[in-house]
Amino acid sequence: MIELEGVPELIDPVMICAFEGWNDAGDAASTAVGHLDREWKGEVFAALDAEDYYDFQVNRPTVALEGGIRKVTWPTTRLSVVRAGGGDKPRDLVLVRGIEPSMRWRSFCNEILGYAHELGVEMVVVLGALLGDTPHTRPVPVSGVTSDPDLARSLDLEESRYEGPTGIVGILQEACTHAGVPAVSLWAAVPHYVSQPPNPKATLALLNRLEDLIGVRIPLGELTEDARAWQLGVDQLAAEDSEVAEYVQSLEEARDTAELPEASGEAIAREFERYLRRRDGQPGPGGHATDAAGGVADGRDGGTGSYLRDSSSPGSGTGSARPRRPSAKDDAEEEEEERDENGDGDEGGRERPDDQD
């Protein structure tokens, strides 16, 4: 039975979820939700029963002293609500933060969706972080994934094509899809060679992408400075190890190559035109680039230009040599051949009258 005592009517609510564990490299996702809760002073209104979902030998409870009194804190998942944005267009966020459950994942997701239904949640956004071959010196890649084709088109997201083992992030998104609740997963890639938490740079990247997705400005506090300090610290560690520095450089080169313009037909045509202009030193007629043989590189004639020489011909070199301009002697020889074919020339090799002095 879901009880929502003390929870006011929410404005355009969005549910933001993150779970510690397998889906949370560098604690980037759970730290992002914790940041939202802290900056907007979230109020916890519900917690899932730890007995139902957690193996306490895997996720052990903790003991702390508060005012001389021992207090046990059980691993669980808590829900809080914050009002974001403010001003003329406030929006409420339902924050779900906990540990990936050890058992009964279907029941766990159904309980989360029960709260989403009762609160009138319009969309569920699940944050995750994974280890990847990404350099710490470049912007953190964040991918937005959904199983809803319409949502993918409207929000410029990727449709999920992943196959393989999954965590609670994937299961919750699938449960939302079956329940008809719009759901999006945002995944940040964390460098696998510096995977230990925290990773404020990845957390910052997730919050920036979330800000764009839900249309709410998120106060970042000291997170920007923390991310800068984190990168400087990793820079120093990498500089002290030549093997790590060389590996980071290889990742940078691979990343930069992958981000070159897409090799589409139009992109290839544009690159080819630029190449030809560099060879000729000037644009061709009508602003088109000309190839080395004077043909316009407009994609006709197989994209090679109408004057490119057959590469199998002798002396063709690269197959792009400019044909020789006909001379006066060439014209005379051609005229003579035409007369011979028409029977107009003298036979037996005798000189023609026009050849005499």
Side-chain angles (χ1 to χ4, degrees), residues 211-234:
E211 188 177 65
D212 295 336
L213 182 66
I214 65 177
V216 172
R217 186 172 181 80
I218 298 174
L220 299 177
E222 299 179 356
L223 195 55
T224 302
E225 288 299 323
D226 292 342
R228 185 178 294 111
W230 176 87
Q231 180 165 329
L232 289 174
V234 179

Side-chain angles (χ1 to χ4, degrees), residues 267-290:
I268 292 174
R270 287 194 298 269
E271 290 299 320
F272 186 56
E273 288 184 359
R274 282 195 288 268
Y275 163 73
L276 295 174
R277 282 197 295 270
R278 286 196 298 270
R279 288 190 58 169
D280 286 354
Q282 58 183 3
H288 293 284
T290 56

Side-chain angles (χ1 to χ4, degrees), residues 60-75:
R60 293 184 178 275
T62 59
V63 178
L65 290 174
E66 294 184 4
I69 300 175
R70 294 172 63 84
K71 181 180 179 180
V72 176
T73 300
W74 297 91

Side-chain angles (χ1 to χ4, degrees), residues 337-355:
E337 291 175 359
E338 290 178 354
R339 287 182 178 182
D340 290 342
E341 291 174 359
N342 296 329
D344 296 333
D346 294 336
E347 297 180 359
R350 290 178 296 177
E351 293 183 339
R352 294 193 302 262
D354 56 358
D355 288 335

Side-chain angles (χ1 to χ4, degrees), residues 107-231:
S107 298
F108 180 88
C109 292
N110 287 337
E111 191 165 354
I112 296 294
L113 286 171
Y115 281 105
H117 176 73
E118 291 295 326
L119 294 167
V121 166
E122 298 179 351
M123 181 171 64
V124 174
V125 181
V126 193
L127 306 183
L130 49 82
L131 298 178
D133 293 328
T134 180
H136 72 280
T137 54
R138 296 292 188 266
V140 176
V142 177
S143 57
V145 181
T146 181
S147 299
D148 187 337
D150 295 332
L151 201 61
R153 286 190 295 269
S154 62
L155 297 179
D156 191 23
L157 302 168
E158 301 175 18
E159 284 191 62
S160 178
R161 293 288 184 268
Y162 172 75
E163 295 180 321
T166 188
I168 194 61
V169 170
I171 298 301
L172 181 56
Q173 179 170 333
E174 193 68 15
C176 290
T177 300
H178 287 299
V181 178
V184 176
S185 297
L186 298 181
W187 287 93
V190 173
H192 67 84
Y193 58 89
V194 58
S195 59
Q196 64 272 22
N199 189 318
K201 187 173 181 178
T203 295
L204 181 62
L206 280 171
L207 292 176
N208 286 335
R209 184 64 184 274
L210 178 64
E211 188 177 65
D212 295 336
L213 182 66
I214 65 177
V216 172
R217 186 172 181 80
I218 298 174
L220 299 177
E222 299 179 356
L223 195 55
T224 302
E225 288 299 323
D226 292 342
R228 185 178 294 111
W230 176 87
Q231 180 165 329

